Amino acid sequence: MFSEQAAPTAQGLLAPPSAEPPTFPRVPVSGYSDCSQPFQLGERSFSRQYAHIYAVRLTGMRPRLERRARSRWGNDIALRKLSELQAGEKCCVVGTLFKSMQLQPSILQEISEEHNLVPQPPLPKYIQPSDELILEDELQRIKLEGAIDVQRLVTGTILAVYGSEQDDGRFLVEDHCFADLPPPLPWNGPSSDRFVLLASGLGLGSVSGEALLSTQLLVDVVTGQLGAEGEQSCAAHITRVILAGNLLSQNTQSRDTINKAKYLTKKTQAASVEAVKILDEILLQLCTSVPVDVMPGEFDPTNYTLPQQPLHCCMLPLASAYATLRLVTNPYQANLDGVRFLGTSGQNISDIFKYSSMDDYLEILEWTLLAGHISPTAPDTLGCYPFYKSDPFILTECPHVYFCGNAPHFQSKLLQGKEGQRVLLVTVPDFSATQTACLINLRDLTCQPITFSGFGADSED
Amino acid sequence: VTYKWLSFTLGVHVNQAKQMLYDYVERKRKENSGAQLHVTYLVAGNLHQNGHVCHKVAVVREDKLEAMKSKLSTIASVHVYSIQKALLKDSSPLYNTDYDIVKSNLQHCSKFSAIHCAAAVPRTPPDTPRAPAPAQSPQSQRDPDTASVVNGHGPPAARAPPQQHRGIMGMFAAKAASKPQDTPKETKAEAKEAPGVSAASSKPPIKNNIMNNFFGKAAMNKLKANSVPEQPKEEKEVVKPSVSVAEPESSPNAVAEKPGKKTESARIQQKDKKSKTKRADRSDDEEERDPENVKKKRKRIKQLQSDSSDEEDVPLSPTPEEERAPSPPPVPALKTELEPACTEGSAAGRKRKRKRVLKSKMFIDEEEGCMGESG
């Protein structure tokens, strides 16, 4: 999109100095409203059990699932609870899935001394052929078998299964369905080209500095310093930059201070301090020119449990002075110029990746949308706050742009729903590894990756 | 030289900087002066990759420019990114140049950019104005004390405001004037804060005087911005404490300058190397503290003037006041010269500076009757 508009004046700057060059005003933000209030936690109390969150999730999603079940299998099917099941009767049951996996890291196993087990090293995937699926509702649980893909599903999903109970106490599944896409939101998108830049995984503070030039190039393109006039005028249409997590690299997570003796680590700073300073400078450069939303990620200094709270502004003294900086939660939801954005920094998707046979981040992203829940594996394998009143991760409205950060590659897809939903799914790649960010055009919901590169000692092209 | 560095250094729009670089390259190549210039370009455009069209922005060397241009299906922009004499192995020097220049201009980093955002206005910081103010008062407080200490064994006319010049004149002229209560404290503070000073003061008395004067000035104007040209003048005045005492106050400067020059050149020769490094070091420090210093300097001048009006026993009031104006700038210079001397006997200047500030502050806090303690 940039290129076509910019092409005519591409070579314009290969010329002697001309008259006063033009400055382009940044396209002003017409409509922005932050909708991530459900993800902001006020006072937190961790003294509650996590069972409440499952109960709330089930009650929250049950009506939708029952509607879907009726529309799929007929209006007259029997909807039963597990306690009302009769052997041999074809009925539909709505419940929470639980996948019992042998390889799943369990804290009880680790601390059990009789077994003398070494703590299990983290594996890329924990699935095994011997995993089993169990359906639970408010009171009972039952093993599932049949036409259901055990490997693909993960714990915590709410689904409806259609089948009958066998004599041996298992439920034979003939068909199952999820909540499907939530009801669509009205479209109020802009009529002219407006872009939003999505980037994640800046990875500052890492030992290697190759990505630093690319990060600087990214900042330069967005702030309009790089490129010929055509490109600069296109860059002026970038209305927002969203940094989706992992602003600091994994290297800053040095846990040495816990293991080393205090007298050795007294004078050393945590690696993240230096990294946050660099981040502050980069954000300052961006904030002087474009509104920025900063989401925390897995390696950022904020709480570990989902929903992650915004980074504290005292860490970014230089950039916080600007009103264009917004520190937001992970997951993040907002209305930008009439387009609803919803996204996470990728922890939910990568967690599902570990416990499911699905390999493609885009596929997993689509699946969470169809399942109606942002992160079903929380709180089982992903840290989560013990909600008890309502589960904020249930998707109640269909966003227009649904993204996840820190994916291995860039992928995007426009999903069309039955009720007229149009969702752009974007997996934002890790910038420190791929030097790629995403440009989303709000007018027609298209997405283009933008790659930066310098030249290294080895001239690869 | 990258386009961004040029833009900030010359204060021009980034596009103009790019054009300037291009122009320079063209002209140099036409002249064929023989100096080999290596140019890097920025190329941006569409690239077909992995089945989708990706917008690529790349910094490439001149020899790879055509190759990159041919790879892109549509070219969005091409311009000169940087020029250098030597062939770059990788792009880290480019990044470093840009990083440094942006770091030194952080508050205005979008001033020369092509895009201006109306929404990006800094929020008014409520407590920044307060910070420099308290810093100034301890500083100006320190100066009188150190001045008197500098006088060392001399009478503590050190009460004389921290004006470099004034202090010196006051020190020597008002030998009779005694402010005993100040001397012990100041001596101790001075001694504590500058171990090097004591080392210097152990030298022969005359030199001691001179050195001490220098130290006093340095101590007084630790954080002042440096103005090197006025440095010699300052030093001369300081160097000539003994001489100026005898001379009529009306023209202490003029006389002081000549002998001062000689002394100064001598001393400069002595500590040339060190002063240079220290000056550099000092200027670095002073640059950092520049915004604060400007304010401090102003405040100090004001305070100096108010102090001078208080002083009665210093008959030099008219002259010192004139000199006060040029003295603040020279004082830092003087201080810089002193620094090398000080640092001879102690650790790095920076460290000493820090120590000094701490100590002086402690001294101020404890007011009369207490000895300053090491910070």
Side-chain angles (χ1 to χ4, degrees), chain A residues 3-4 10 14-15 24 26 216 220 223 225-228 231-232 288-289 320-321 449-453 455 461, chain B residues 3-4 15 18-19 22 46 54-55 57-59 71 77-79 89 91 99 109-110 113-117 122-123:
Chain A
S3 319
E4 290 76 28
L14 289 176
F24 306 97
R26 173 81 60 190
Q216 191 61 49
D220 286 344
T223 54
Q225 297 186 0
L226 217 58
E231 182 150 4
Q232 284 168 343
T288 51
S289 176
S320 302
I450 177 166
T451 325
F452 302 90
S453 68
F455 49 89
D461 258 353
Chain B
Y3 76 92
K4 205 194 277 193
N15 285 352
K18 294 169 199 163
Q19 287 169 331
Y22 177 77
N46 270 352
C54 142
H55 185 85
V57 178
V59 177
K71 268 178 66 180
S77 55
V78 181
H79 65 76
K89 287 264 170 0
S91 35
Y99 179 76
C109 44
S110 277
S113 154
I115 298 178
H116 278 277
C117 180
R123 291 190 259 244

Side-chain angles (χ1 to χ4, degrees), chain A residues 1-4 6-7 9-26 212-213 216-217 220-229 231-232 235-236 278 281 284-285 287-291 318-325 410 448-459 461, chain B residues 3-4 8 13-16 18-20 22-23 40-42 44-46 49 52-61 64 67-69 71 74-81 84 88-92 94-95 98-99 102-103 106-124:
Chain A
M1 23 194 128
F2 267 17
S3 319
E4 290 76 28
T9 53
Q11 314 263 2
L13 289 179
L14 289 176
S18 57
E20 187 62 37
T23 18
F24 306 97
R26 173 81 60 190
L212 284 177
L213 180 67
Q216 191 61 49
L217 289 177
D220 286 344
V221 168
V222 174
T223 54
Q225 297 186 0
L226 217 58
E229 284 176 16
E231 182 150 4
Q232 284 168 343
I278 303 177
E281 283 160 17
L284 177 67
Q285 291 176 48
C287 284
T288 51
S289 176
V290 70
L318 296 169
S320 302
Y322 284 84
T324 44
L325 178 77
F410 165 76
Q448 189 181 41
I450 177 166
T451 325
F452 302 90
S453 68
F455 49 89
D458 49 273
S459 60
D461 258 353
Chain B
Y3 76 92
K4 205 194 277 193
F8 275 113
H13 194 274
V14 283
N15 285 352
Q16 274 189 327
K18 294 169 199 163
Q19 287 169 331
M20 283 183 201
Y22 177 77
D23 197 32
T40 61
Y41 289 89
L42 181 97
N46 270 352
Q49 199 176 37
H52 47 242
V53 178
C54 142
H55 185 85
K56 190 163 173 76
V57 178
V59 177
V60 291
R61 281 196 285 253
K64 301 270 180 324
M68 180 59 84
K69 275 164 83 167
K71 268 178 66 180
T74 335
I75 298 180
S77 55
V78 181
H79 65 76
V80 178
Y81 190 83
Q84 46 277 336
L88 289 184
K89 287 264 170 0
D90 62 54
S91 35
S92 46
L94 298 179
Y95 173 71
D98 278 345
Y99 179 76
V102 168
K103 189 135 184 187
L106 264 184
Q107 294 303 325
H108 316 288
C109 44
S110 277
K111 211 154 78 160
F112 303 115
S113 154
I115 298 178
H116 278 277
C117 180
V121 281
R123 291 190 259 244
T124 46

Side-chain angles (χ1 to χ4, degrees), chain A residues 175-404:
Chain A
D175 197 7
H176 68 282
C177 79
F178 300 105
D180 210 16
L181 290 175
L185 277 175
W187 171 257
N188 280 334
S191 49
S192 59
D193 269 345
R194 298 274 173 91
F195 297 101
V196 170
L197 185 82
L198 277 177
S200 82
L202 289 181
L204 299 168
S206 65
V207 179
S208 67
E210 296 125 22
L212 284 177
L213 180 67
S214 307
T215 317
Q216 191 61 49
L217 289 177
L218 172 73
V219 173
D220 286 344
V221 168
V222 174
T223 54
Q225 297 186 0
L226 217 58
E229 284 176 16
E231 182 150 4
Q232 284 168 343
S233 70
C234 290
H237 289 286
I238 297 182
T239 54
R240 207 160 194 95
V241 173
I242 301 180
L243 295 176
N246 276 359
L247 307 154
L248 305 186
S249 92
Q250 198 168 9
N251 294 337
T252 61
Q253 305 288 301
S254 62
R255 307 232 132 215
D256 288 350
T257 47
I258 301 178
N259 299 333
K260 279 199 198 152
K262 197 83 177 174
Y263 68 93
L264 286 173
T265 57
K266 209 168 199 176
K267 294 265 176 87
T268 57
Q269 265 181 359
S272 49
V273 174
E274 195 55 46
V276 170
K277 282 194 200 145
I278 303 177
L279 175 69
D280 198 18
E281 283 160 17
I282 290 183
L283 281 180
L284 177 67
Q285 291 176 48
L286 276 178
C287 284
T288 51
S289 176
V290 70
V292 184
D293 295 338
V294 182
M295 289 166 61
E298 195 182 340
F299 305 127
D300 293 330
T302 181
N303 55 317
Y304 162 73
T305 56
L306 281 192
Q308 280 183 306
Q309 298 304 292
L311 296 170
H312 201 282
C313 55
C314 72
M315 283 195 286
L316 308 167
L318 296 169
S320 302
Y322 284 84
T324 44
L325 178 77
R326 279 195 65 89
L327 299 164
V328 293
T329 57
N330 166 31
Y332 175 51
Q333 186 169 228
N335 266 336
L336 296 174
D337 281 333
V339 179
R340 173 71 71 99
F341 273 71
L342 172 65
T344 64
S345 301
Q347 291 115 316
N348 53 334
I349 309 294
S350 55
D351 200 56
I352 297 174
F353 174 81
K354 277 192 274 188
Y355 295 100
S356 155
S357 61
M358 290 189 278
D359 278 329
D360 189 18
Y361 269 57
L362 192 67
E363 189 189 341
I364 299 176
L365 196 65
E366 189 180 345
W367 183 81
T368 57
L369 196 59
L370 293 173
H373 200 273
I374 298 177
S375 157
T377 52
D380 188 40
T381 42
L382 189 60
C384 176
Y385 174 73
F387 293 104
Y388 70 105
K389 284 212 184 106
S390 66
D391 187 352
F393 298 124
I394 299 176
L395 288 166
T396 48
E397 294 158 324
C398 192
H400 297 121
V401 179
Y402 186 45
F403 64 91
C404 90

Side-chain angles (χ1 to χ4, degrees), chain A residues 30-78:
Chain A
S30 54
Y32 170 74
S33 66
D34 187 4
C35 305
S36 51
Q37 279 77 26
F39 303 123
Q40 279 165 359
L41 298 172
E43 198 206 86
R44 286 164 250 183
S45 149
F46 282 88
S47 58
R48 273 189 288 272
Q49 297 248 347
Y50 281 100
H52 301 291
I53 194 176
Y54 285 115
V56 164
R57 201 184 285 178
L58 186 56
T59 44
M61 292 187 69
R62 188 181 274 274
R64 243 166 75 190
L65 273 165
E66 287 181 355
R67 258 200 317 268
R68 278 279 295 138
R70 280 191 212 285
S71 67
R72 193 171 162 132
W73 300 309
N75 253 335
D76 51 352
I77 56 159

Side-chain angles (χ1 to χ4, degrees), chain B residues 84-329:
Chain B
Q84 46 277 336
K85 279 242 169 85
L87 185 65
L88 289 184
K89 287 264 170 0
D90 62 54
S91 35
S92 46
L94 298 179
Y95 173 71
N96 289 337
T97 321
D98 278 345
Y99 179 76
D100 290 333
I101 196 75
V102 168
K103 189 135 184 187
S104 47
N105 288 343
L106 264 184
Q107 294 303 325
H108 316 288
C109 44
S110 277
K111 211 154 78 160
F112 303 115
S113 154
I115 298 178
H116 278 277
C117 180
V121 281
R123 291 190 259 244
T124 46
D127 18 24
T128 36
R130 288 189 311 157
Q136 290 175 19
S137 28
Q139 176 69 17
S140 36
Q141 284 288 318
R142 253 185 79 252
D143 297 337
D145 303 328
T146 41
S148 53
V149 182
V150 164
N151 208 1
H153 30 275
R159 228 0 139 155
Q163 297 84 18
Q164 317 65 38
H165 211 57
R166 180 141 177 204
I168 293 171
M169 300 314 254
M171 276 186 265
F172 289 94
K175 266 187 182 163
S178 55
K179 305 224 160 125
Q181 77 266 17
D182 293 336
T183 329
K185 277 186 286 181
E186 283 145 13
T187 327
K188 196 150 185 210
E190 176 73 23
K192 276 188 186 163
E193 82 181 50
V197 179
S198 48
S201 47
S202 61
K203 293 177 192 171
I206 300 174
K207 217 176 170 185
N208 195 7
N209 254 352
I210 298 170
M211 291 288 277
N212 280 345
N213 287 333
F214 272 93
F215 274 135
K217 288 203 177 170
M220 286 192 291
N221 308 316
K222 250 175 59 145
L223 304 176
K224 287 295 193 163
N226 198 2
S227 54
V228 181
E230 298 185 66
Q231 199 170 346
K233 185 169 152 201
E234 178 65 18
E235 288 179 45
K236 294 167 211 163
E237 289 161 7
V238 172
V239 172
K240 278 316 216 115
S242 41
V243 178
S244 51
V245 174
E247 287 163 12
E249 266 86 85
S250 50
S251 59
N253 283 346
V255 183
E257 276 180 35
K258 284 182 199 155
K261 260 184 196 155
K262 287 186 202 150
T263 337
E264 190 207 338
S265 51
R267 127 197 310 280
I268 284 180
Q269 280 156 19
Q270 287 171 18
K271 321 173 207 154
D272 206 28
K273 288 176 196 168
K274 279 190 194 152
S275 25
K276 273 189 191 151
T277 50
K278 281 307 141 192
R279 210 172 296 157
D281 185 29
R282 179 65 47 191
S283 52
D284 282 349
D285 300 342
E286 285 159 354
E287 264 171 35
E288 286 169 17
R289 298 184 171 77
D290 213 26
E292 287 175 51
N293 293 343
V294 173
K295 280 187 192 167
K296 277 186 197 160
K297 212 198 274 196
R298 277 191 224 123
K299 187 148 191 229
R300 185 190 301 179
I301 292 175
K302 272 190 215 159
Q303 194 160 13
L304 292 176
Q305 288 174 351
S306 60
D307 282 349
S308 63
S309 55
D310 294 340
E311 285 297 322
E312 291 167 347
D313 53 10
V314 186
L316 318 161
S317 5
T319 351
E321 274 171 37
E322 317 161 1
E323 292 157 5
R324 205 175 307 128
S327 28

